[in-house]
Amino acid sequence: MRRPFVAGNWKMNTTRAAGVALAKAVADDVRANKPPVDVAVCPPFPYLIPVGEAIAGSGVWLGAQNAYHAAPGAFTGETALTMLQDCGCQWVILGHSERRQFFGETDASVNQKIQAALAAKLGVIFCVGELLAERQSNQTEKILETQMAGGLAGLSPESLAKLVIAYEPVWAIGTGVTATPDQAEEAHAFLRQWLAGRFDSGLAETVRIQYGGSVKPDNAKELLSQPNVNGALVGGASLKADQFLPIIHAAAEIAAAG
Ligand code: PEP
């Protein structure tokens, strides 16, 4: 049984006060209900420390949305993995489509970051996903294969223990258009099969694959019920406790029914 993992990617949103209030609401619920689900919040860099303080002891993990692979030094504007650890992060999201689209990240640069993050003993949420045009021209599997092979190049089988894959079809991110449960399951099963071929099938079975792309309270249950969907990476709906908590509860219900 793969423990579901629901992570909130706040992107470049919230203020310090709003972020702390949101984190406290998530922490209070997790502390009270102890869902059989891993839960993480990933605020913007400047709010990592106050959000970390707000969730301390609750069981909610702290994640960052990006990092640079190099050791601290002359890299203006970048954030080192050691700094994330210093701020209390256990997780880092790498390869998000917005990083690829707006900031020029490539499979090779994402691979450098993944290798460095795993070496630093941080958990990695590695995002992959196709554009709409790629899906429409039946290239989804080819794109996923390229992103997986590039992003995970050189990784040892042991490093899978700290790796979570997030399948995020780009056409579903922030658009309100969600992949159907069948589309999600098909892509997730493909990713797991790919992992089995690259590593081994036993290990591939242990890797959690989150779905991301307009996950909301009203579609979470159906998506999370798919056998290869092991949680969600949630953007917009993670910014409001009354939307994020029902997604965690849906994951908990499915896990409990397990
Ligand atoms: C995301 O940014 O990872 C995401 C899935 O966003 P949204 O839930 O808003 O589509």
Side-chain angles (χ1 to χ4, degrees):
M1 181 70 191
R2 294 175 284 258
R3 184 175 163 93
F5 185 8
V6 177
N9 172 15
W10 294 2
K11 310 194 187 191
M12 198 171 73
N13 289 301
T14 71
T15 59
R16 178 176 173 144
V20 166
L22 172 58
K24 277 193 178 141
V26 175
D28 286 349
D29 189 87
V30 168
R31 201 183 279 112
N33 294 319
K34 299 194 174 30
V37 173
D38 284 338
V39 176
V41 290
C42 305
F45 289 131
Y47 306 146
L48 283 170
I49 289 177
V51 165
E53 287 166 358
I55 60 176
S58 67
V60 177
W61 301 107
L62 184 66
Q65 300 170 21
N66 184 32
Y68 193 57
H69 67 274
F75 300 102
T76 302
E78 292 296 332
T79 305
L81 290 150
T82 50
M83 295 168 184
L84 298 186
Q85 288 169 317
D86 206 12
C87 294
C89 287
Q90 295 90 13
W91 291 94
V92 58
I93 300 171
L94 294 173
H96 191 281
S97 65
E98 287 152 16
R99 300 292 320 165
R100 295 175 190 258
Q101 190 181 348
F102 303 127
F103 303 100
E105 296 204 5
T106 62
D107 293 332
S109 65
V110 173
N111 176 247
Q112 281 185 304
K113 293 179 178 204
I114 292 176
Q115 298 226 29
L118 293 171
K121 308 259 181 283
L122 278 163
V124 170
I125 299 175
F126 167 43
C127 303
V128 296
E130 80 287 358
L131 304 170
L132 182 59
E134 293 164 345
R135 174 162 282 266
Q136 287 171 338
S137 56
N138 289 324
Q139 291 186 81
T140 299
E141 293 189 352
K142 186 173 145 256
I143 296 297
L144 295 181
E145 196 162 17
T146 303
Q147 291 175 340
M148 292 287 279
L152 302 185
L155 253 66
S156 67
E158 295 72 45
S159 53
L160 288 192
K162 286 249 179 198
L163 184 81
V164 169
I165 310 287
Y167 170 61
E168 299 207 303
V170 180
W171 46 272
I173 296 181
T175 59
V177 178
T178 315
T180 65
D182 284 350
Q183 284 173 322
E185 174 58 21
E186 192 181 17
H188 284 227
F190 174 79
L191 291 169
R192 197 174 304 288
Q193 204 181 5
W194 187 90
L195 287 169
R198 162 75 169 77
F199 297 95
D200 77 58
S201 50
L203 267 180
E205 283 301 313
T206 65
V207 176
R208 292 178 292 183
I209 307 178
Q210 297 173 321
Y211 169 78
S214 298
V215 177
K216 308 282 178 214
D218 62 357
N219 60 27
K221 194 165 179 195
E222 228 188 335
L223 286 160
L224 293 170
S225 300
Q226 300 305 310
N228 282 292
V229 177
N230 316 120
L233 182 54
V234 186
S238 72
L239 293 171
K240 293 208 160 76
D242 65 359
Q243 291 193 29
F244 191 51
L245 293 174
I247 297 171
I248 297 169
H249 299 162
E253 224 177 278
I254 294 159

